[in-house]
Amino acid sequence: MTGPPLTLVDLAAMPVSKLERVGPRKLESMEQVGIRSLLDLLTWYPRRYLDRSRESTIAELAAGEEALVLARVVSVESRRVRNHRVMVTAEFRDRSGRLRCTFFNQPWRKQQLETLIGDVEIAVFGRLELFQGRRQMTNPVIDPVGDRTGRIIPVYPQSEKARLTTWNLAEWTGQTLRRCAPRGIADPLPDEIRRRLGLIGRELAFTDIHQPADLHDVHAARNRLVFDELLRLQLALVRRKRELESSSLGIEHAVGPRSDEASVPGLVDRFIGALPYPLTGAQRRAGDEIAADLARPLPMHRLLQGDVGAGKTVVAVEAMLGAVQGGHQAALMAPTEVLAEQHAQGIRSMLAGLTIDDDGSLLGSRPVEVALLTGRTPAAERRRILAGLADGSIPFAIGTHALIEDAVRFASLGVVVIDEQHRFGVEQRAALRDVGSGDAVPDVLVMTATPIPRTAAMTVFGDLDLTVLDELPPGRTPITTEWLVGDEGEAAAWEAVRAEVADGRRAYVVCPLIEESAKLEASSAEEVHDRLRAGPLAGLEVGLLHGRMKADDKQDVMDRFRAGSVQVLVATTVIEVGVDVPEATVMVVLDADRFGIAQLHQLRGRVGRGSAASRCILLTSGPSGPDGSARLEALVRTRDGFELAEIDLDLRGEGTVMGDRQKGRSDLRLASLRRDREWVEAARSVALELVDATGVVTVPELAAELTLLDAEDEAFLTKS
Ligand code: ADP
Ligand code: MG
């Protein structure tokens, strides 16, 4: 009884050198794998568990079946076989009989097993083969477990190199738990929340993850520890979000009717009223959420996620007009010139006929001017636009990152929309917020058409609020997706292209993805273009679009494709994002198994945008590997981007979904964004509850734990 219950911060301050039976060599071993404190040790979780009640003896094993036996090594030998390969053979024994295990190409096994000869119990997991009456396994999984007793044996990640065994680790964690027992381990989670979520206490969780009486205990322990990891992360993200919000001054936009006479509808209402279609339920909900943000004095920082074709543009324009109707300006930033130009065209026609009050003009009103600013804007026009943005006479700007160049100043930038967020760096996002004038920070809406599973979004974009457009406008044209293989498949694809073109429609041919080399990708696109023009698509107007072409040439081929003088567009993934040509009704993707699910889904979104039924043909030269097949089958099966995103997360694990942003995320030792989706949600909502409006974590003990996040994680968090 030497003090209050131990906190994680206390445990992090206690070095493992204080433990008994830890000599300098073992200390160094632990140092090598990053175990320095008792907290490191307690969070060095077992990789799996052996249930002794379910193990068999060697004699009981049936041929052809996978099973686990506990046995001891009797002898080991190694010899070279063909092609300089090494074969290690070890003889195992338990009380019932003998088992021979053969390891190919694992020369280090000899030394490993030799040091284990004798009394060390080893878990051997593999498929039993009978060879001339002898029991044997090839390349089984080997886990030395020592002379551990008890029904459930935890198996720790061990290190051959550092000479750390699972029984070392079990002994030390056992010692740590015993030493903690008199003071106990503190539980900072408010009881009420713990009960609501059905979680066990923290001390019991640590005990049961390391020394479970049965496997059900492990499950409950894991839940609690997973929740703790996720809660720490969410607390840090929500804290950062709230700090940002409370430290900067936003603009309270006048989102209600602008006119003094309530009978004259505001700009936003007039815009919506003039649309040729009613908003979808999801668009209305999104609009309301955004309007509520705009009206508040805090700057908005919101992510609008919506599948391809969900109608994000209307929602974005609505948000931007919310700023304009209150006398502020709005900007939309797109990742490419093609997209910026297309947005400008589309939005200009949406806004045609809409006017804003202007006391200076003869009629008392003027049209809403939409300026387009890209790298291609001629100098004189650019000067005019810059002046108009600076004096506020131009309310609406669309552009590429040319919008955030030094020379650009806005009189009063109120709302910024960033389209296709994944193409933008965080720094660019920050820069755009800074182009406003005065102290007020514009409201920021980030749009992405890459559906991300909700839980992943909560983690990757944890400092943003999330709006999901989960409903598509009615009457979308069907897209049939087929996966065709080999020469025959290809022939069918070109036939489909010819048929569509003969009916006056257009086709995309997407060239194989060559990662890391835009140059190779471009030359492969040129090759495909030449080959198709000379052979399968001879006689059709075939154009070429890739990332290394000059901007003017890109624009030119896009214009001609839109107009129909180019009938088939051979392109790299530059067409992935946002390109909108309603007459394009067929897409052929070459070597489709080289693409990821999200990318294929984006690509496919380029067709099915008009009134005619569309086809997407995924080609592979031969059968694909299991992952490739699973991806292509998923695309054939569904068009729902969120369903595909979930499948993607399942197939690839979170690392890839998170991309670079995930890399530093070492604090998640136990939690998986894939397996633990419901805990991510729970942690998010508890974090929102426990952080106040100014960014203070209201439970001091939990706040203190945030200092334990890895430095890397900290850097990651503050970067966003
Ligand atoms: P996204 O950017 O989300 O991929 P867009 O905003 O480009 O989608 O919209 C796709 C198409 O759907 C556009 O042609 C747009 O005019 C149309 N659209 C948007 N909202 C609706 C709606 N509520 N009803 C019918 N069509 C809609
Ligand atoms: Mg779009």
Side-chain angles (χ1 to χ4, degrees):
M1 291 296 135
T2 51
L6 293 155
T7 65
L8 298 193
V9 177
D10 294 335
L11 291 166
M14 298 177 177
V16 284
S17 56
K18 294 277 166 59
L19 291 171
E20 281 163 29
R21 292 185 294 281
V22 172
R25 265 191 44 201
K26 289 295 177 190
L27 257 187
E28 185 167 322
S29 304
M30 280 194 263
E31 174 74 32
Q32 269 185 41
V33 298
I35 302 176
R36 292 177 195 102
S37 68
L38 296 190
L39 181 64
D40 295 333
L41 201 50
L42 283 182
T43 53
W44 191 264
Y45 298 116
R47 189 154 46 101
R48 53 205 177 92
Y49 300 85
L50 302 176
D51 184 347
R52 281 191 192 235
S53 66
R54 305 223 334 241
E55 93 208 24
S56 351
T57 62
I58 292 175
E60 286 164 357
L61 293 181
E65 272 172 25
E66 282 200 325
L68 170 73
V69 289
L70 277 173
R72 287 156 216 271
V73 195
V74 187
S75 64
V76 191
E77 61 186 58
S78 113
R79 63 191 169 88
R80 287 203 177 277
V81 289
R82 271 179 297 121
N83 303 332
H84 305 286
R85 298 210 311 169
V86 174
M87 180 176 95
V88 175
T89 315
E91 201 72 27
F92 285 79
R93 183 160 62 188
D94 72 0
R95 62 196 141 72
S96 75
R98 280 170 176 269
L99 174 70
R100 162 174 295 199
C101 293
T102 310
F103 303 88
F104 288 100
N105 258 353
Q106 303 173 17
W108 47 274
R109 281 281 181 211
K110 179 165 192 296
Q111 212 205 345
Q112 178 208 20
L113 292 171
E114 266 169 1
T115 62
L116 298 172
I117 288 178
D119 283 343
V120 180
E121 228 172 352
I122 296 173
V124 182
F125 180 79
R127 189 183 303 280
L128 186 82
E129 301 149 13
L130 278 179
F131 181 68
Q132 298 173 347
R134 199 167 55 200
R135 295 174 170 263
Q136 59 179 46
M137 288 183 184
T138 306
N139 293 340
V141 176
I142 295 287
D143 268 317
V145 295
D147 54 354
R148 317 276 319 287
T149 52
R151 194 165 72 84
I152 308 285
I153 301 177
V155 178
Y156 289 91
Q158 28 197 333
S159 162
E160 297 290 336
K161 217 170 94 228
R163 294 173 181 280
L164 276 187
T165 65
T166 191
W167 58 93
N168 290 150
L169 289 155
E171 210 279 317
W172 296 327
T173 46
Q175 229 188 96
T176 304
L177 289 168
R178 276 197 306 284
R179 287 169 163 238
C180 292
R183 284 175 64 177
I185 295 175
D187 193 337
L189 190 64
D191 272 353
E192 183 271 319
I193 294 175
R194 193 170 62 71
R195 271 196 300 272
R196 197 198 316 154
L197 297 174
L199 291 169
I200 62 170
R202 182 178 272 174
E203 181 162 15
L204 182 59
F206 275 123
T207 308
D208 280 357
I209 200 101
H210 290 292
Q211 306 180 331
D214 68 55
L215 292 176
H216 290 295
D217 295 348
V218 173
H219 184 68
R222 187 180 180 280
N223 282 348
R224 171 57 203 261
L225 297 167
V226 160
F227 177 78
D228 282 4
E229 283 182 358
L230 293 167
L231 180 62
R232 271 194 293 281
L233 198 59
Q234 289 300 337
L235 283 172
L237 287 163
V238 171
R239 179 176 64 177
R240 177 173 156 70
K241 169 169 149 41
R242 297 260 164 93
E243 276 169 1
L244 261 182
E245 289 170 350
S246 62
S247 67
S248 41
L249 189 63
I251 300 168
E252 288 180 60
H253 291 282
V255 292
R258 157 125 161 77
S259 168
D260 296 340
E261 310 162 47
S263 62
V264 179
L267 193 55
V268 173
D269 291 343
R270 278 184 279 140
F271 165 68
I272 292 171
L275 287 173
Y277 41 73
L279 294 182
T280 64
Q283 282 171 325
R284 247 181 290 121
R285 279 192 300 279
D288 290 347
E289 280 177 3
I290 292 167
D293 280 358
L294 293 184
R296 276 188 311 175
L298 305 177
M300 170 170 77
H301 205 196
R302 186 173 282 280
L303 178 70
L304 176 64
Q305 258 204 72
D307 211 341
V308 181
K312 292 183 293 297
T313 316
V314 172
V315 176
V317 171
E318 193 185 332
M320 291 189 281
L321 291 178
V324 173
Q325 78 177 354
H328 299 284
Q329 292 158 295
L332 185 152
M333 189 156 85
T336 64
E337 279 168 8
V338 170
L339 272 183
E341 278 157 23
Q342 189 175 282
H343 265 310
Q345 263 178 30
I347 290 176
R348 277 176 184 149
S349 72
M350 273 188 198
L351 297 184
L354 219 55
T355 55
I356 42 180
D357 295 356
D358 183 359
D359 298 335
S361 97
L362 211 52
L363 301 170
S365 67
R366 61 191 160 98
V368 183
E369 179 179 354
V370 178
L372 172 66
L373 191 65
T374 70
R376 285 161 29 97
T377 308
E381 170 74 351
R382 182 179 147 81
R383 272 195 301 278
R384 190 189 69 81
I385 292 173
L386 292 189
L389 293 177
D391 69 16
S393 59
I394 297 181
F396 217 115
I398 295 178
T400 54
H401 42 261
L403 275 179
I404 53 170
E405 278 165 13
D406 286 345
V408 185
R409 279 284 159 264
F410 289 81
S412 176
L413 185 58
V415 167
V416 168
V417 175
I418 303 177
D419 193 13
E420 315 296 358
Q421 131 80 25
H422 58 293
R423 297 273 168 119
F424 276 108
V426 216
E427 297 77 14
Q428 282 167 311
R429 250 208 271 164
L432 193 45
R433 289 166 61 127
D434 293 340
V435 295
S437 60
D439 301 327
V441 173
D443 288 295
V444 175
L445 181 68
V446 176
M447 298 200 288
T448 173
T450 311
I452 307 171
R454 197 177 157 74
T455 54
M458 279 177 180
T459 313
V460 185
F461 301 108
D463 55 342
L464 298 166
D465 288 306
L466 188 60
T467 292
V468 179
L469 278 189
D470 52 4
E471 184 185 341
L472 297 173
R476 282 217 306 177
T477 55
I479 303 178
T480 342
T481 303
E482 299 143 275
W483 170 18
L484 303 181
V485 181
D487 292 345
E488 232 169 273
E490 212 182 309
W494 306 138
E495 202 171 305
V497 169
R498 283 185 170 281
E500 290 299 311
V501 170
D503 281 349
R505 293 188 282 264
R506 268 151 257 167
Y508 293 105
V509 176
V510 182
C511 297
L513 181 69
I514 301 174
E515 259 164 307
E516 319 291 344
S517 172
K519 197 171 157 198
L520 279 182
E521 195 165 78
S523 67
S524 125
E526 278 160 13
E527 248 172 66
V528 171
H529 172 254
D530 295 347
R531 174 168 73 84
L532 292 181
R533 228 162 43 151
L537 300 181
L540 305 187
E541 287 303 324
V542 184
L544 174 66
L545 180 68
H546 63 67
R548 289 174 63 96
M549 283 164 47
K550 284 208 232 44
D552 285 346
D553 296 341
K554 280 191 221 171
Q555 186 59 40
D556 180 56
V557 73
M558 276 314 297
D559 286 346
R560 291 198 297 135
F561 187 60
R562 235 177 243 122
S565 63
V566 164
Q567 298 163 312
V568 179
L569 187 63
V570 173
T572 57
T573 50
V574 290
I575 59 152
E576 180 185 336
V577 173
V579 171
D580 193 4
V581 179
E583 295 81 9
T585 51
V586 58
M587 167 172 287
V588 178
V589 184
L590 300 171
D591 284 349
D593 53 351
R594 291 220 203 155
F595 295 85
I597 284 188
Q599 222 168 4
L600 287 171
H601 179 64
Q602 285 293 318
L603 287 168
R604 178 169 57 181
R606 299 309 114 218
V607 293
R609 301 178 83 86
S611 52
S614 293
R615 290 176 76 176
C616 174
I617 301 176
L618 307 172
L619 281 180
T620 58
S621 49
S624 292
D627 267 18
S629 305
R631 289 199 297 273
L632 299 183
E633 278 159 13
L635 275 139
V636 169
R637 192 169 64 243
T638 179
R639 240 181 112 183
D640 179 332
F642 286 93
E643 192 181 333
L644 288 169
E646 296 284 346
I647 295 172
D648 205 18
L649 188 58
D650 280 338
L651 280 177
R652 303 200 296 169
E654 48 263 32
T656 33
V657 176
M658 311 262 104
D660 285 346
R661 305 192 63 169
Q662 167 65 14
K663 278 190 188 138
R665 192 45 59 79
S666 47
D667 195 56
L668 295 185
R669 293 204 170 170
L670 214 48
S672 139
L673 299 180
R674 179 167 33 134
R675 281 177 63 183
D676 301 313
R677 288 175 177 129
E678 78 232 65
W679 291 118
V680 178
E681 304 251 4
R684 178 81 178 175
S685 78
V686 169
L688 288 168
E689 201 177 321
L690 296 182
V691 181
D692 75 10
T694 62
V696 173
V697 178
T698 54
V699 179
E701 294 83 357
L702 285 173
E705 287 184 6
L706 299 190
T707 58
L708 298 172
L709 283 176
D710 275 4
E712 267 176 274
D713 291 334
E714 205 50 52
F716 157 81
L717 290 172
T718 46
K719 229 178 69 191
S720 50

